[in-house]
Amino acid sequence: MSTSEGKQTRAFQTEVRQLLDLMIHSLYSNKEIFLRELISNASDAADKLRFEAIANDGLYAGDSQIAIRVTFDKEANTLTIADNGIGMTLDEVASNIGTIARSGTREFLQSLQADQAKDANLIGQFGVGFYSAFIVADQVTLITRKAGAAPDEAVRWESAGNGEYTLEQVTKESRGTEVILHLKPEEKEFLDDWRLRSTVRKFSDHVPWPILMLKSAGYTPDEDEGDEEKAEETRKEEKQPEWETVNKASALWTRSKSEITEEEYTEFYKHVGHDFEDPLAHIHARLEGKYEYTVLLYIPKRAPFDLWDRDRKHGVKLYVRRVFIMEGAEDLMPRYMRFVRGVVDSTDLPLNVSREILQKNPAVDAIKKGMVGKVFSLLEEMAKNDAEKYQQFWDTFGVVMKEGVIEDFSHRERVAKLLRFSSTQADSKVQDVSLESYVARMQEKQKAIYYVTGDSFEAARHHPHLEVFRKKGIEVLLLSDRVDEWLVNHLHEFDGKPLQSVAKGGLDLGELEDEADKQELEKYQGEFKELIERVQKGLGEQVKEVRVTNRLTDSPSCLVSGEHDLSASMERILREAGQAAPTTKRTLELNPAHPLVIRLKEEGDEQRFNDLSHILFSQALLGEGGQLEDPADFVRRLNSLLLAAK
Ligand code: ADP
């Protein structure tokens, strides 16, 4: 930081520099969005002022006509977006405009591939915001005065977008923020009344505050035609600048559905959702009952980069009779629906209360319930009528929705119907199997919904426990998202059918096993009795039990957890998370038809017998994606067997 006569020069945070660079180079084909972003910020600033002024109307200081003004100066080559909203203090400017205080930013930026087309897409996940000004400007000046601050407590921020910015205390006569863009030589097209008006109408028509532009010489609105009296007035006030409202300036959600076009819904989404892309779907409804409120909710097409960030900023915005109150995450939407964006506007909530009191208001709870119901209906309808779109939703937000099974007992069944999984039916990584369709395909005598969990899709798919299921053509759900372990711990049944892990407990395929299967197993149990005892003795404390199995067809061995034990992958997840997970001993099952097991049975050499039984145990662990406690021991035993096998 350097200072000269009260002016400080500061360096942008590295992340901001990278973002600026990216923005300038990858958004060139969508330049005019900078206007939408700056107007969107101005609109938010106006919302915030109106909220603060409920408790302290002195903040208006005689100027309660809130508006956003767009002007340009051809000679100076500047375009200015000014608001009389909340404004910012010096510290706020430094932290809001000089840094990006969002965790995950660095990771996000690292994920960029310097492929301009792809990056332009990715940046939408991030939200472009204020920095988009640098797409068209080679210098940006922001002058702002916080509502309630003295005129000489204003701040001037300036930057050429090249890594540094200056900050300076200045005097500003009125409250609010002015952003002055000094346009790049090739962007002069924006110094044009018609171009600006049409851009404002296209992108910002829904903004609830008036967006004003000066009545230009060459521009006469239709309604003024032939209005002699008005023309006379205009001549008298010639010296006064005459402003006119360019946008509709009414809250979009208060208008009736039939009057709103798809484009308007889409542009409004980009504003409330801080997104760059079109939404996947929306629902607009007025709810009347004990409480009255209007919702306009959206499902984004793509996950925001901070979907996993507990402090993420954006969610559903709460309005009370069109006054913005708060942007609440968990208060208005459960965590498993945190991807939902939009607004809810209530007529019943009091205006002049603190957010804290508001959060305890029973109406907020009722509204939340109502909104959750609306999101469910939207998703259910999509799942029913537009499978492709629903798949797109599921691919993006499925892992988040799965949390609903765990978190929201009252809606467990409703969430369960929306779940989609991979399964052995298609053996594809795409999660598109619903529990309903699984149940419909169940074999006549099948009693349970079978699943297997693994650390990755491949691990689940190749799980040795699946072998007999594949042989008998019984479908098994392949679960490999981290949340799945918790999901199956909470979802015990669906449609009256229990969910059953193929890797837990004694295998009971119930009626699906025919008499011949049972007899064969009994025969093997007799024949292998001695072997089983020997292996058990050799492995000692490592296993709970050893037995022969009919679970396997291709693999020689596998490990099985007790019915009520933690699964092996759950143990791993807990341990990775630093939690003390008990190591539960598991049962080793041997495939009596496998040549290696037969060889083991016939092995006379004590050392070789021991090596091979340890290897069968280690293999079983590796086969399901587990880790060996003593890998060197495994390698030693394997090598000595390899050497013996001339
Ligand atoms: P976002 O709008 O997604 O938060 P931006 O980069 O556009 O990201 O803006 C960063 C922050 O700067 C805003 O959250 C707001 O606090 C502040 N800000 C931007 N423009 C204005 C404005 N016109 N008036 C007041 N504050 C503003």
Side-chain angles (χ1 to χ4, degrees), residues 19 37-46 48 81-83 85-88 92-93 95-97 99-100 102 126-132 142 144 176-179 274 313-314:
L19 191 68
E37 298 295 317
L38 295 177
I39 288 175
S40 184
N41 280 348
S43 169
D44 287 347
K48 285 180 198 158
I81 293 96
D83 65 66
I86 191 78
M88 284 178 274
E92 284 168 339
V93 174
S95 70
N96 291 338
I97 308 288
T99 55
I100 305 176
R102 289 190 261 175
F126 197 87
V128 281
F130 175 79
Y131 303 109
S132 62
L142 176 143
T144 184
T177 304
E178 212 176 292
V179 181
H274 294 259
K313 278 208 309 206
H314 306 304

Side-chain angles (χ1 to χ4, degrees), residues 571 575 581-585 629:
E571 265 184 31
R575 231 170 276 133
T583 315
T584 29
K585 278 195 273 177
E629 231 167 72

Side-chain angles (χ1 to χ4, degrees), residues 416-476:
K417 284 198 179 135
L418 290 169
L419 297 173
R420 297 292 182 270
F421 300 102
S422 292
S423 91
T424 52
Q425 204 222 4
D427 252 343
S428 138
K429 206 171 171 172
V430 181
Q431 299 181 1
D432 60 358
V433 174
S434 68
L435 291 171
E436 267 163 326
S437 69
Y438 180 101
V439 169
R441 279 192 297 269
M442 274 168 67
Q443 295 192 6
E444 209 182 320
K445 292 171 177 171
Q446 186 182 343
K447 293 206 181 86
I449 298 171
Y450 291 105
Y451 68 85
V452 67
T453 56
D455 292 347
S456 65
F457 172 71
E458 288 304 323
R461 188 159 81 104
H462 292 124
H463 210 289
H465 293 133
L466 290 177
E467 289 171 9
V468 66
F469 290 87
R470 289 196 192 274
K471 188 172 140 202
K472 294 191 176 290
I474 303 170
E475 183 173 1
V476 179

Side-chain angles (χ1 to χ4, degrees), residues 20-48:
L20 276 174
D21 213 41
L22 180 73
M23 191 110 45
I24 295 164
H25 292 110
S26 45
L27 294 180
Y28 55 87
S29 59
N30 236 325
K31 288 181 227 166
E32 72 264 30
I33 57 140
F34 78 91
L35 195 58
R36 170 186 86 204
E37 298 295 317
L38 295 177
I39 288 175
S40 184
N41 280 348
S43 169
D44 287 347
D47 277 349
K48 285 180 198 158

Side-chain angles (χ1 to χ4, degrees), residues 615-633:
I615 283 170
L616 288 178
F617 170 74
S618 301
Q619 270 193 1
L621 200 56
L622 289 172
E624 54 169 46
Q627 272 171 6
L628 301 179
E629 231 167 72
D630 188 353
D633 177 70

Side-chain angles (χ1 to χ4, degrees), residues 193-370:
D193 189 69
W194 185 84
R195 176 77 208 261
L196 288 170
R197 279 169 197 264
S198 61
T199 310
V200 167
R201 280 207 202 89
K202 182 167 161 207
F203 290 125
S204 309
D205 209 28
H206 59 77
V207 169
W209 304 101
I211 300 170
L212 307 179
M213 286 186 66
L214 283 171
K215 216 177 214 178
S216 68
Y219 182 86
T220 339
D222 299 346
E223 61 260 33
D224 280 5
E225 254 171 58
D227 192 337
E228 271 310 312
E229 236 169 87
K230 216 163 184 178
E232 182 59 30
E233 243 171 64
T234 313
R235 275 193 288 279
K236 271 193 224 148
E237 292 168 8
E238 216 155 19
K239 291 282 175 295
Q240 288 288 319
E242 219 180 318
W243 296 95
E244 61 191 345
T245 305
V246 180
N247 62 331
K248 284 209 182 76
S250 69
L252 183 86
W253 62 89
T254 58
R255 284 158 47 194
S256 100
K257 277 202 246 188
S258 57
E259 290 168 17
I260 306 174
T261 63
E262 270 311 301
E263 286 73 30
E264 286 177 304
Y265 276 123
T266 298
E267 287 310 324
F268 182 67
Y269 165 71
K270 291 178 180 173
H271 165 67
V272 291
H274 294 259
D275 197 351
F276 185 75
E277 264 201 72
D278 295 1
L280 186 68
H282 73 258
I283 188 160
H284 184 186
R286 187 169 171 71
L287 290 98
E288 279 160 16
K290 190 165 174 218
Y291 301 103
E292 272 179 32
Y293 53 100
T294 302
V295 294
L296 173 50
L297 302 175
Y298 294 89
I299 310 237
K301 223 177 236 166
R302 213 180 0 208
F305 86 107
D306 57 356
L307 185 63
W308 302 101
D309 182 1
R310 288 214 157 241
D311 307 318
R312 75 205 167 274
K313 278 208 309 206
H314 306 304
V316 173
K317 289 183 170 182
L318 173 67
Y319 285 74
V320 173
R321 292 182 291 280
R322 259 161 280 172
V323 177
F324 169 73
I325 304 293
M326 63 173 176
E327 179 150 19
E330 256 116 286
D331 302 313
L332 296 169
M333 271 288 152
R335 266 186 64 72
Y336 68 97
M337 288 186 176
R338 61 182 176 273
F339 47 81
V340 175
R341 299 283 179 266
V343 302
V344 51
D345 191 347
S346 148
T347 31
D348 305 296
L349 290 170
L351 262 178
N352 53 350
V353 290
S354 70
R355 288 165 202 226
E356 288 69 30
I357 293 175
L358 204 55
Q359 283 161 8
K360 292 193 198 97
N361 193 302
V364 173
D365 247 7
I367 290 172
K368 183 172 168 180
K369 275 209 192 87

